[in-house]
Amino acid sequence: AQKVTQAQTEISVVEKEDVTLDCVYETRDTTYYLFWYKQPPSGELVFLIRRNSFDEQNEISGRYSWNFQKSTSSFNFTITASQVVDSAVYFCALRGGNEKLTFGTGTRLTIIP
Amino acid sequence: DAGVTQSPTHLIKTRGQQVTLRCSPKSGHDTVSWYQQALGQGPQFIFQYYEEEERQRGNFPDRFSGHQFPNYSSELNVNALLLGDSALYLCASSLIPQGVKAEQFFGPGTRLTVL
């Protein structure tokens, strides 16, 4: 069975601070993909990143960066110099061999101006 | 390039009624997946349609059924509505040949309220 845990239910930081969202996953598959999605108040899930199980290279995209560590089954997401527009619910998700996308319960991020 | 569209935006029904939600996939996509997102929760996979057939299914009762049309659009039907069916229903489209790495594009969702 697949499982994604986002232990942080809500996080609030002051604008321009850095913030890290944690994601821990469980799967028995050797080939799998991890995803991060952003859900603004409008409700639509916005794709942020995809990472496969064989690529542990960290990735940086502008103010966003992702740290994938298979040894700890974690795929954490960091926003540098946060902005008010970053306020949203962020979901980590996993897809394994059964191709079903399993989501975590999400982390509500509030950036305080 | 049109993204995933869903209709209606909001819907209010009473217990025991039936509801149909609609989804048009992103241009060029052939696969549609449906998710239920209860308040404060992550989306839960309902089922996936490809070539007009249900390809995969999550842990949802038979009251939840679907259909895919030749133009790849899809419908989600829920019979005998329960209060617990109140949720945001999300549709996502993708390309099946990409398999497990396929990126899913989500629509804005339909907010269903059951009274």
Side-chain angles (χ1 to χ4, degrees):
Chain A
Q2 298 178 165
K3 185 178 180 181
V4 176
T5 302
Q6 295 180 256
Q8 305 153 308
T9 306
E10 295 190 31
I11 300 176
S12 294
V13 300
V14 176
E15 194 173 19
K16 297 184 183 178
E17 287 186 349
D18 300 346
V19 58
T20 296
L21 309 183
D22 297 333
C23 172
V24 174
Y25 64 92
E26 296 176 30
T27 181
R28 294 182 179 178
D29 294 323
T30 54
T31 300
Y32 53 89
Y33 279 78
L34 295 163
F35 302 80
W36 274 95
Y37 284 88
K38 174 182 180 179
Q39 188 174 44
S42 62
E44 185 169 344
L45 283 166
V46 178
F47 167 81
L48 295 177
I49 191 173
R50 171 183 58 203
R51 172 68 71 212
N52 75 54
S53 52
F54 298 106
D55 182 3
E56 289 193 67
Q57 196 170 24
N58 292 333
E59 181 160 338
I60 298 174
S61 175
R63 296 184 298 106
Y64 296 168
S65 63
W66 290 269
N67 183 356
F68 174 35
Q69 293 191 343
K70 284 182 74 172
S71 60
T72 56
S73 297
S74 65
F75 186 42
N76 297 337
F77 172 32
T78 297
I79 301 175
T80 303
S82 60
Q83 299 176 2
V84 173
V85 292
D86 296 327
S87 296
V89 181
Y90 290 84
F91 290 96
C92 180
L94 166 72
R95 182 187 291 125
N98 64 10
E99 298 187 26
K100 296 179 183 179
L101 194 58
T102 300
F103 285 85
T105 51
T107 297
R108 180 175 299 278
L109 176 64
T110 301
I111 308 300
I112 303 167
Chain B
D1 181 19
V4 179
T5 60
Q6 293 185 242
S7 64
T9 307
H10 294 86
L11 206 51
I12 299 176
K13 293 285 188 179
T14 57
R15 281 178 297 175
Q17 286 189 312
Q18 179 264 344
V19 68
T20 297
L21 310 182
R22 296 176 177 82
C23 170
S24 290
K26 180 179 170 62
S27 178
H29 282 184
D30 57 8
T31 303
V32 172
S33 302
W34 287 92
Y35 294 82
Q36 180 195 65
Q37 186 179 14
L39 198 61
Q41 300 296 316
Q44 299 288 319
F45 175 75
I46 302 175
F47 43 54
Q48 182 183 77
Y49 275 84
Y50 172 66
E51 291 189 337
E52 302 180 48
E53 291 191 358
E54 184 180 292
R55 183 170 177 269
Q56 296 232 29
R57 189 178 183 91
N59 295 324
F60 279 81
D62 292 343
R63 299 186 298 108
F64 289 77
S65 64
H67 187 77
Q68 185 179 35
F69 299 93
N71 66 354
Y72 306 121
S73 66
S74 176
E75 289 182 347
L76 164 66
N77 301 293
V78 187
N79 295 321
L81 284 167
L82 304 174
L83 294 179
D85 295 331
S86 294
L88 179 68
Y89 288 84
L90 294 164
C91 169
S93 72
S94 57
L95 276 170
I96 204 69
Q98 292 188 355
V100 69
K101 75 173 185 178
E103 175 188 334
Q104 292 191 343
F105 290 80
F106 284 82
T110 294
R111 173 74 63 188
L112 172 64
T113 302
V114 182
L115 302 177

